[in-house]
Amino acid sequence: MTSEPTSTELLAETTRSLGAMHRNQVHRDPWPALEAFDPAAYPEALRRHAAWHWMARARAEHGSVLQFSAVTHALTRARAPVEILGALARLITDEVRHVELCARTAEAFYPEAKSDEAPADFFAWRAPKAPWRDAPKDDDRASLFAWASRAILTACCLGETLSKPMLEAVATVATDPLPRAAAEQILRDEQFHARFGWESLAVIAPRLDDGGRAALQEQLAKSLAGFERTTCGKVRIEDLAGSEMAIVPGEEADEPNLGTLSERQFAMIFYATLEHEIFPALKELGLDPEAAWARRAGYPAPKGREPAAESRG
């Protein structure tokens, strides 16, 4: 049985030509100055905590590569409009970029993990798993569109929309230029990804039959349950009654922060985004978010997703 690969293996050079192809696609924005980060400027415990946080995010982004590849495959078989496929191609490229950004940021924070004394699994890389069943094996368009609608709802309309304010908060609290630059680069992409989700679902939803729409509504309840549990941890909406958001800008912070948020901060962002952004958009699509929210308690958190509060942010 082979051991899990590490981030070093995933980031290793391959060939000169493949490296050039990769960089031309992935390094579109000015790359953060990773080499400018000074580990000696921060306590080891702080850097280690941040490295775990950013490595978890890198693994979650790797999962998104898998998820969007699966959606692309299904919609290609469904003979969906090519404009949707073209947009999905960019999403996959973006997620590969996020994997590299997050993993290299984590390694910059905690270079000690590469020493002989460090735990062997500090940067271990598990195989990603999608938080849904595989797409139908046949080429029935109705079934494929129904499956894709549920995947897009989960990955983009919920996941990517939630990522936007969370990454904004990560960039805000960071006291160092490296995590701030990494979060801001990912944020620009997540805004596009969320818009893709709402736009493409608006195109696909009218193609669904009654069974497909019922399954989409049911998926909404399952996904809300999963995101609440993996994003908020033990914090629930009733625990936040009367609370105010506490996102202190890095320049005003009393202590250094390398781009991490507390469980309570993640929860506050989660519930506020649902209320003010996600639920209204779901209603425009003809879904019933309140009914789905009421049903969410009956579903377990889906397997195969990194906790968002430790990963995507």
Side-chain angles (χ1 to χ4, degrees):
M1 182 175 182
T2 59
S3 60
E4 298 286 4
T6 66
S7 58
T8 301
E9 289 186 62
L10 268 73
L11 301 177
E13 294 182 356
T14 52
T15 70
R16 183 175 180 179
S17 294
L18 287 173
M21 294 177 197
H22 169 78
R23 287 187 294 274
N24 287 337
Q25 288 293 321
V26 171
H27 294 198
R28 292 194 306 270
D29 294 323
W31 209 242
L34 295 154
E35 68 287 348
F37 181 78
D38 180 13
Y42 298 97
E44 180 179 342
L46 176 73
R47 294 186 290 104
R48 182 185 177 92
H49 171 72
W52 272 111
H53 177 98
W54 283 85
M55 188 53 64
R57 180 179 289 126
R59 295 187 188 103
E61 301 289 357
H62 198 230
S64 293
V65 176
L66 175 73
Q67 293 171 29
F68 291 137
S69 298
V71 172
T72 303
H73 185 221
L75 287 178
T76 300
R77 289 168 52 214
R79 285 135 294 170
V82 294
E83 290 184 353
I84 294 180
L85 302 181
L88 272 166
R90 174 183 159 171
L91 264 65
I92 295 170
T93 301
D94 289 347
E95 298 298 352
V96 172
R97 183 155 70 113
H98 301 171
V99 173
E100 184 173 0
L101 269 170
C102 295
R104 291 197 185 280
T105 297
E107 290 188 345
F109 286 161
Y110 198 58
E112 292 93 332
K114 295 183 179 181
S115 70
D116 294 337
E117 293 77 22
D121 63 346
F122 192 91
F123 289 143
W125 208 281
R126 300 180 294 276
K129 293 181 177 13
W132 51 62
R133 293 181 179 178
D134 291 341
K137 300 300 183 183
D138 59 43
D139 291 329
D140 178 69
R141 296 185 76 204
S143 298
L144 289 166
F145 276 125
W147 179 90
S149 72
R150 299 192 294 273
I152 290 170
L153 172 75
T154 301
C156 294
C157 298
L158 298 183
E160 302 290 339
T161 302
L162 286 166
S163 287
K164 293 188 300 175
M166 292 179 182
L167 283 163
E168 288 171 352
V170 167
T172 298
V173 302
T175 59
D176 187 273
L178 175 55
R180 187 181 308 119
E184 288 174 345
Q185 283 205 28
I186 299 171
L187 174 61
R188 286 192 287 272
D189 293 335
E190 304 294 66
Q191 293 169 338
F192 172 85
H193 297 182
R195 187 166 69 252
F196 164 83
W198 296 111
E199 295 277 345
S200 60
L201 194 56
V203 172
I204 294 172
R207 301 169 183 260
L208 303 180
D209 57 20
D210 290 344
R213 291 194 66 83
L216 186 61
Q217 177 69 29
E218 195 72 6
Q219 180 64 46
L220 177 58
K222 294 179 182 179
S223 296
L224 287 173
F227 276 110
E228 182 181 35
R229 291 170 183 173
T230 58
T231 303
C232 304
K234 296 179 180 179
V235 180
R236 289 295 175 265
I237 192 167
E238 56 270 18
D239 301 324
L240 301 175
S243 301
E244 295 182 1
M245 181 68 67
I247 303 294
V248 179
E251 58 270 19
E252 300 176 10
D254 296 328
E255 299 179 352
N257 185 307
L258 295 178
T260 62
L261 299 173
S262 69
E263 190 174 78
R264 193 173 186 84
Q265 287 172 323
F266 273 112
M268 295 183 77
I269 294 169
F270 173 82
Y271 292 117
T273 306
L274 286 186
E275 178 183 0
H276 298 296
E277 186 170 357
I278 292 178
F279 277 23
L282 289 169
K283 290 177 182 177
E284 290 185 10
L285 288 173
L287 295 170
D288 187 344
E290 282 84 5
W293 184 252
R295 285 179 57 81
R296 79 194 189 284
Y299 294 103
K303 297 179 180 179
R305 181 187 295 127
E306 293 281 352
E310 300 174 1
S311 55
R312 294 184 63 83

